[in-house]
Amino acid sequence: MPTYIASVRDNTGKAKKEKITADSLGEARSLLRDRGLTVADLKKAQSFDIKNINLDDLNEAFAVATASVTVKDKAVFSRQFAAMVNAGVGMVRCLSVLTDQCQNPKLKKALKQISAEVQEGSNLSEAMGKHPACFDNLYVAMVQAGEVGGVLDEVLNRLAKLLEDSARLQNQLKSAMSYPTTVGSLAVIIFLALTIFLIPTFAAIFEEIGVELPLFTQVMLGISAFLLDPRKSVTLVVILIALFVAYKQYYKTPMGRVVCDGIFLKWGFGEGYLADKARSD
C-alpha cells in the first residue's frame, strides 16, 4: 500500500506531520480524521529525495537508536500507568498522556505505536510484545494476566515495585563496584606507564652493564618490548576488543547468560552480597 504524508493539527491546535499507509488518498484522510486530527494537506510520499529529508526526523531517529530503556524508566511508567488505571482513566487516554510525558525517546516511540495499536483493537499485552527492547517477556506476561483477570492496576503496581527494587539493587551493586573499579583502572594505567616509559630506561642501563637479570626482570623487559612494538600492541588491542565483543554477544543468548552467570557465582562474584540481600528481604 502507498504511504502518504499529511500536515495535520491535533485537538490542541498543534501542527505536525504524520505518515500513514492506506489504499487511497480518501482512505488516508478518513483514517486521520478517525484519530481526531484535522488534515491541512495530504500527499503521496515520494521516493528518496534529498529535499524530503527532515532534520528533525533524523535527530529523532538517532535519539531512538542510541537510547536505551532502563529499569527506572519502566518502573516510573508502570507506577504512573497503575495510578491512572486505578483512577478510572481510559486505556487510550492513559497511553496518550504517558506518551506525552515520557522523556526516553525509545520508550516514547514504543508507547506511541502501542497506543495506535490499542486504538485499532489490539490487546495491550499483544501490542507491548512487539517491542521487546522496552518490555521483556515477563512484563508482557504479567500485563496479559492482569488484562485477563481484570486486575491490571494491581499487576502494574507489583511490576513497579519489582522494577524499583531491581533498580535499587543495580545502584547498590554499582556503588559497591565503583571503588574496586577505580583502583583497578589506576593500577592498569600505572603499570602501563611504568612499562612503556620507565622500564625502557632501565633496559638500556642493564644492557650496558651486561649482567644476568632475574627472571621477573626479564619478563618485565619482555612485556615492555612487546608493548613498545606498534604492530604487536595494535594486534593485542584488536584481539582484546574482539574478545570483549564476542563475550557481549554470547552473553545476550539464553545459554550464554546461564553459563556466564554460573561462572561468576562459582567464582564468588556478588554471592555474599546477594545472599545478604535475600536474607534482608
Side-chain angles (χ1 to χ4, degrees), residues 199 206 211-223:
I199 291 181
F206 293 149
V211 296
E212 183 178 355
L213 301 175
L215 178 61
F216 180 76
T217 305
Q218 294 179 18
V219 171
M220 293 301 298
L221 291 174
I223 294 175

Side-chain angles (χ1 to χ4, degrees), residues 5 17 46 48 56 77 101 103 110 121 123 141 151 169 182 190-191 231 240 260:
I5 300 177
K17 288 186 177 293
Q46 300 178 356
F48 177 77
D56 292 337
F77 163 76
Q101 294 180 351
Q103 300 296 325
N123 293 330
V151 288
L169 177 60
T182 303
I190 293 173
F191 173 79
R231 183 177 300 177
L240 292 176
C260 294

Side-chain angles (χ1 to χ4, degrees), residues 44-274:
K44 187 176 180 180
Q46 300 178 356
S47 57
F48 177 77
D49 187 352
I50 191 68
K51 296 179 180 179
N52 293 331
I53 296 179
N54 191 320
L55 291 179
D56 292 337
D57 294 340
L58 289 177
N59 291 334
E60 181 180 355
F62 179 77
V64 171
T66 55
S68 61
V69 180
T70 64
V71 176
K72 184 178 180 181
D73 292 329
K74 291 191 288 186
V76 172
F77 163 76
S78 301
R79 186 69 72 186
Q80 293 176 341
F81 199 4
M84 296 180 70
V85 171
N86 190 37
V89 182
M91 181 71 65
V92 175
R93 179 60 177 168
C94 287
L95 293 172
S96 177
V97 172
L98 292 172
T99 301
D100 293 337
Q101 294 180 351
C102 184
Q103 300 296 325
N104 186 297
K106 185 182 289 291
L107 182 58
K108 186 182 186 73
K109 182 179 180 180
L111 291 177
K112 188 180 297 183
Q113 296 175 355
I114 291 170
S115 178
E117 293 182 16
V118 170
Q119 291 184 53
E120 294 172 358
S122 299
N123 293 330
L124 177 62
S125 57
E126 181 182 352
M128 285 182 168
K130 297 179 181 179
H131 303 276
C134 300
F135 304 102
D136 54 24
N137 293 332
L138 175 62
Y139 196 103
V140 173
M142 291 189 68
V143 169
Q144 184 179 18
E147 287 181 309
V148 174
V151 288
L152 182 59
D153 57 337
E154 183 177 347
V155 169
L156 288 171
N157 275 320
R158 292 185 179 182
L159 277 170
K161 186 176 187 310
L162 175 65
L163 293 169
E164 288 167 355
D165 291 342
S166 179
R168 190 179 303 110
L169 177 60
Q170 288 183 0
N171 291 333
Q172 290 174 347
L173 287 173
K174 289 179 181 179
S175 299
M177 292 299 296
S178 61
Y179 178 73
T181 301
T182 303
V183 173
S185 300
L186 289 175
V188 170
I189 293 173
I190 293 173
F191 173 79
L192 292 176
L194 291 175
T195 305
I196 295 174
F197 300 106
L198 185 61
I199 291 181
T201 304
F202 287 97
I205 298 175
F206 293 149
E207 187 177 355
E208 291 178 2
I209 296 175
V211 296
E212 183 178 355
L213 301 175
L215 178 61
F216 180 76
T217 305
Q218 294 179 18
V219 171
M220 293 301 298
L221 291 174
I223 294 175
S224 177
F226 181 87
L227 294 178
L228 288 174
D229 188 332
R231 183 177 300 177
K232 293 179 180 179
S233 58
V234 170
T235 302
L236 177 62
V237 171
V238 171
I239 292 175
L240 292 176
I241 293 176
L243 290 174
F244 177 76
V245 172
Y247 161 74
K248 296 293 287 186
Q249 294 298 321
Y250 180 64
Y251 190 76
K252 290 180 180 179
T253 64
M255 181 58 68
R257 183 179 290 271
V258 172
V259 172
C260 294
D261 288 347
I263 293 174
F264 292 153
L265 290 175
K266 186 177 181 180
W267 287 352
F269 291 129
E271 184 176 0
Y273 176 82
L274 293 177

